[in-house]
Amino acid sequence: MKIIIFGPQGSGKGTQAELIARHHGWSYISTGDIFRYHLKNQTALGKKVDKYVSSGLLAPDELTNEIVKDRIFQPDCVSGFVLDGYPRNLAQLEFLNKIAKIDFALAIELSDEEAIKRLADRWACKCGLSYHLLHNPPKEPGICDKCGLPLFRRDDDKPEAIKKRLEIFHQETEPLFAVYNKSGIWHQVNGDQPINEVYRQIDDAIHHHLG
Ligand code: AP5
Ligand code: MG
């Protein structure tokens, strides 16, 4: 099953995508995590996208499209994947349509006010997991439950970058909802509920869709 997951910054895309993928044995792909890996390791790609990602702007489509194309054709994606953070604009959607047939598209709804509050208390791990001091704390403070690495604050979780990211979401990504809504593979879930409840509703929708 090939799933894409949409939602404003802080809505819980990464949190839910990781749970879905782990539960079903599908691969979890986050374009944001891929960019952060390249930034941290100062690869050629990392150097090219630094100024965009750190300030909350979208990386150039040509680079992003190539990354996704490389990733979704890896052997671990054959049984299925959950794609978090792509496509984010019409050009990316058109590219994705040429290389993959998506089975299910999902959006997590959350107000900007709530999203901003959540990001203020998010701690991230480089393995892709996100924690929240109140709603999803790690077992040991500052350490990832899954891989034992120290947690960090993301560079783009500063107020100016959050504002920019939300603006881009509303201007460029939200218009894609109408396209998927017409396709019969679309589902929206209220993200302003506890993590387990959001997950339960998403999983029900996936099972319903699978028939
Ligand atoms: P990306 O990493 O995708 O960031 P984002 O879209 O800004 O989304 P976030 O990761 O901030 O939020 P999330 O929805 O995953 O929330 P999370 O699960 O962590 O992209 C980063 C950057 O990379 C982009 O700005 C851009 O520069 C670049 N990029 C990426 N894709 C690109 C593309 N396609 N094209 C061009 N550039 C691209 O949850 C947030 C917090 O809330 C956590 O603390 C979590 O524990 C908590 N939480 C989650 N769910 C709940 C809940 N139900 N109740 C309470 N707390 C919750
Ligand atoms: Mg994320």
Side-chain angles (χ1 to χ4, degrees):
M1 178 117 163
K2 298 182 178 115
I3 299 184
I4 47 181
I5 186 159
F6 291 104
Q9 288 58 34
S11 60
K13 298 182 297 293
T15 302
Q16 297 296 335
E18 199 273 338
L19 288 170
I20 301 165
R22 183 150 39 98
H23 181 87
H24 289 275
W26 300 325
S27 289
Y28 167 43
I29 305 172
S30 154
T31 43
D33 283 346
I34 296 173
F35 285 132
R36 280 185 289 280
Y37 168 86
H38 285 277
L39 283 176
K40 184 154 183 19
N41 292 290
Q42 281 293 294
T43 64
L45 175 68
K47 286 177 189 155
K48 276 188 202 159
V49 298
D50 193 353
K51 61 176 186 279
Y52 303 100
V53 178
S54 303
S55 59
L57 300 172
L58 293 186
D61 289 338
E62 320 78 78
L63 297 175
T64 311
N65 288 340
E66 280 310 306
I67 284 173
V68 171
K69 189 173 162 197
D70 281 354
R71 185 64 191 89
I72 67 173
F73 289 108
Q74 298 290 320
D76 65 296
C77 291
V78 170
S79 61
F81 58 75
V82 186
L83 188 50
D84 157 15
Y86 182 94
R88 288 202 200 218
N89 59 26
L90 200 56
Q92 294 183 7
L93 180 144
E94 284 168 357
F95 184 84
L96 180 63
N97 281 343
K98 284 189 213 145
I99 59 170
K101 187 182 170 299
I102 297 302
D103 302 298
F104 197 54
L106 182 75
I108 303 177
E109 297 172 294
L110 194 71
S111 67
D112 287 7
E113 294 70 29
E114 195 54 38
I116 290 165
K117 273 196 237 159
R118 282 192 191 170
L119 294 179
D121 279 333
R122 168 169 61 187
W123 285 80
C125 180
K126 85 177 182 193
C127 76
L129 286 189
S130 275
Y131 294 87
H132 189 279
L133 294 185
L134 195 64
H135 304 298
N136 186 25
K139 292 195 181 85
E140 198 182 327
I143 304 290
C144 179
D145 297 348
K146 187 173 155 194
C147 64
L149 289 171
L151 302 178
F152 60 91
R153 294 275 300 151
R154 275 173 43 177
D155 281 348
D156 60 350
D157 277 351
K158 299 192 177 85
E160 261 322 289
I162 293 176
K163 191 165 162 263
K164 194 77 226 158
R165 285 153 61 204
L166 283 165
E167 257 171 47
I168 295 174
F169 169 76
H170 291 302
Q171 279 166 12
E172 300 197 34
T173 310
E174 228 167 13
L176 307 186
F177 291 13
V179 179
Y180 283 106
N181 200 1
K182 281 192 225 131
S183 68
I185 60 165
W186 181 243
H187 189 81
Q188 276 173 287
V189 61
N190 173 12
D192 198 1
Q193 313 179 76
I195 293 173
N196 290 349
E197 182 54 25
V198 177
Y199 180 68
R200 194 190 63 74
Q201 293 183 10
I202 292 177
D203 205 47
D204 276 359
I206 293 173
H207 280 107
H208 184 77
H209 190 74
L210 283 170

